[in-house]
């Protein structure tokens, strides 16, 4: 029997520029295959229609992927007025056509007010949310619709960038769990003409922006280039780069690694923190994340193995 090939121990974050037409899972598997990596996972799926930022966590970075799942996102979206689809995007079947004549920027601005700030949103039946263990989109494809509780989301900004006949461009900055297709559907209903997403690009996910993007072509180029992969992978700590930093001496870091809470002078008084060990004559070393306890001690919560 042939011995199963074991992947490489690669650790870091790859900010993939997901192309249109493939699922996030397929993008993960292709990246894993190209880099011969042992372990990789994404941090928040994009629909096949969507492109843009899909952070992939390799190796030890997978321990911190949950924090990226909870991060805010930004999108550039194009919406077509006058046509409704069953999925809310261009991959679905057209279910209704209505006139969008007379809808101008003034009417759009008046409607967009209702899609800013804290709002309750009912997830699409074509989302990956599970109902009794089954993804909703699988039920929807069987013609089954179930009740979905609304979720409180925060739309920090929702700006009209352009309107060309029946096509409008929006830039949306929102909290986790926001469904852009649902915004398009509800906006179309409010305008009385229906609407659906025709293109969607994620331009920010947590700390990552389009400046960090790596394409599949760039990945393929690394296969024959010595050391090129290191230039494409961001450090594990980038996943929590925006968190407050707590610097630890070598001895204090030792106790943290043993799972013990420690007192650190001048540490924040609450919340989650990024743990960095002080290394003589070198940059600090990221060893994990911690949480400030009620008594002011820093408790380890997620640690890098061997860090």
């Amino acid at each position: 029997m042939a011995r199963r090939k074991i992947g490489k121990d690669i650790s870091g974050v790859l900010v993939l520029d997901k192309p249109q037409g493939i699922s996030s899972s397929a993008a993960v598997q292709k990246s894993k295959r190209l880099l011969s990596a042992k372990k990789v996972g994404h941090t928040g799926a994009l629909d096949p229609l969507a492109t843009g930022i899909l952070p992939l966590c390799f190796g030890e970075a997978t321990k911190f992927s949950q924090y990226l799942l909870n991060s805010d996102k930004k999108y550039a979206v194009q919406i077509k007025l006058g046509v409704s689809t069953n999925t809310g995007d261009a991959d679905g079947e057209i279910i209704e056509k209505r006139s969008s004549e007379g809808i101008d920027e003034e009417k759009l601005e008046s409607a967009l007010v209702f899609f800013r700030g804290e709002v309750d949103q009912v997830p699409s039946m074509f989302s990956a949310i599970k109902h009794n263990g089954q993804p909703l989109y699988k039920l929807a494809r069987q013609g089954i619709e179930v009740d979905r509780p609304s979720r409180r989301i925060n739309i920090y900004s929702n700006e009209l960038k352009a309107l060309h006949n029946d096509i409008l461009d929006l830039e949306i900055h929102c909290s986790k769990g926001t469904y852009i297709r649902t915004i398009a559907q509800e906006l179309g209903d409010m305008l009385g003409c229906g609407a659906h997403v025709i293109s969607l690009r994620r331009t920010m996910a947590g700390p990552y922006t389009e400046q960090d993007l790596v394409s599949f072509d760039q990945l393929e180029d690394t296969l024959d280039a010595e050391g090129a992969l290191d230039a494409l992978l961001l450090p594990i700590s980038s996943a929590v780069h925006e968190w407050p930093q707590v610097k630890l001496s070598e001895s204090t870091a030792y106790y943290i690694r043993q799972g013990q809470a420690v007192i650190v002078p001048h540490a924040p008084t609450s919340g989650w923190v990024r743990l960095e060990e002080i290394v003589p004559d070198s940059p600090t070393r990221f060893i994990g994340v911690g949480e400030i306890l009620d008594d002011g001690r820093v408790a380890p919560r997620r640690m890098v193995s061997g860090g």
Side-chain angles (χ1 to χ4, degrees):
M1 180 182 293
R3 181 175 295 178
R4 183 181 177 186
K5 186 177 180 180
I6 299 176
K8 300 175 185 175
D9 280 319
I10 298 171
S11 287
V13 179
L14 178 76
V15 186
L16 180 69
D17 189 353
K18 189 191 87 66
Q20 187 175 352
I22 67 171
S23 68
S24 295
S25 295
V28 168
Q29 292 308 313
K30 182 173 181 178
S31 302
K32 183 178 182 180
R33 184 174 66 255
L34 284 173
L35 301 183
S36 302
K38 183 183 294 185
K39 188 176 183 181
V40 59
H42 66 71
T43 60
L46 281 173
D47 293 332
L49 174 79
T51 65
I53 294 176
L54 182 67
L56 304 183
C57 291
F58 287 80
E60 285 292 296
T62 58
K63 293 180 177 180
F64 306 91
S65 60
Q66 66 191 83
Y67 309 118
L68 293 173
L69 281 168
N70 295 332
S71 64
D72 297 336
K73 313 290 192 299
K74 284 185 180 179
Y75 297 93
V77 55
Q78 274 197 330
I79 295 173
K80 181 176 178 62
L81 301 174
V83 180
S84 300
T85 69
N86 62 337
T87 61
D89 63 22
D91 285 340
E93 299 176 2
I94 295 175
I95 56 176
E96 188 177 16
K97 291 184 177 182
R98 286 178 279 177
S99 173
S100 61
E101 188 176 352
I103 296 177
D104 55 18
E105 291 189 11
E106 184 178 353
K107 289 183 178 180
L108 282 168
E109 287 291 356
S110 296
L112 287 174
V113 170
F114 295 93
F115 300 93
R116 294 171 182 151
E118 289 192 358
V119 298
D120 291 320
Q121 186 183 74
V122 177
S124 168
M125 269 302 300
F126 284 86
S127 68
I129 295 173
K130 291 187 177 180
H131 175 79
N132 295 333
Q134 277 271 66
L136 289 179
Y137 66 82
K138 288 189 176 181
L139 297 176
R141 289 169 183 167
Q142 300 171 39
I144 301 172
E145 183 165 352
V146 298
D147 289 334
R148 289 98 63 202
S150 64
R151 297 182 171 190
R152 178 56 60 94
I153 60 170
N154 201 327
I155 303 175
Y156 306 109
S157 64
N158 185 359
E159 302 301 323
L160 176 64
K161 306 306 291 185
L163 174 63
H164 303 288
N165 298 319
D166 58 355
I167 305 294
L168 63 126
D169 294 346
L170 298 179
E171 285 188 359
I172 299 175
H173 180 195
C174 55
S175 63
K176 68 166 187 174
T178 301
Y179 289 91
I180 305 301
R181 67 174 72 196
T182 300
I183 293 176
Q185 288 174 312
E186 293 180 350
L187 177 62
D189 290 341
M190 183 173 291
L191 294 169
C193 63
H196 70 280
V197 172
I198 57 174
S199 74
L200 180 66
R201 183 167 181 79
R202 186 189 282 166
T203 59
M204 186 200 83
Y208 306 120
T209 68
E210 290 186 294
Q211 293 182 341
D212 303 310
L213 283 172
V214 176
S215 68
F216 276 129
D217 287 342
Q218 288 174 285
L219 275 186
E220 290 170 349
D221 289 343
T222 68
L223 300 180
D224 301 318
E226 186 71 27
L229 176 60
D230 292 338
L232 300 182
L233 283 178
L234 297 177
I236 300 171
S237 60
S238 66
V240 292
H241 178 71
E242 298 172 332
W243 292 19
Q245 180 190 61
V246 170
K247 294 183 179 181
L248 307 169
S249 66
E250 182 180 0
S251 59
T252 306
Y254 170 82
Y255 288 109
I256 279 276
R257 289 193 184 97
Q258 305 308 309
Q260 299 182 35
V262 297
I263 295 176
V264 181
H266 313 300
T269 56
S270 63
W272 288 70
V273 294
R274 186 173 86 252
L275 304 176
E276 302 272 352
E277 181 181 3
I278 298 171
V279 181
D281 302 319
S282 298
T284 57
R285 178 189 299 132
F286 175 72
I287 63 172
V289 297
E291 185 179 13
I292 308 299
L293 302 179
D294 291 340
D295 61 8
R297 291 180 301 159
V298 181
R301 290 292 181 251
R302 205 75 171 159
M303 305 298 292
V304 175
S305 294

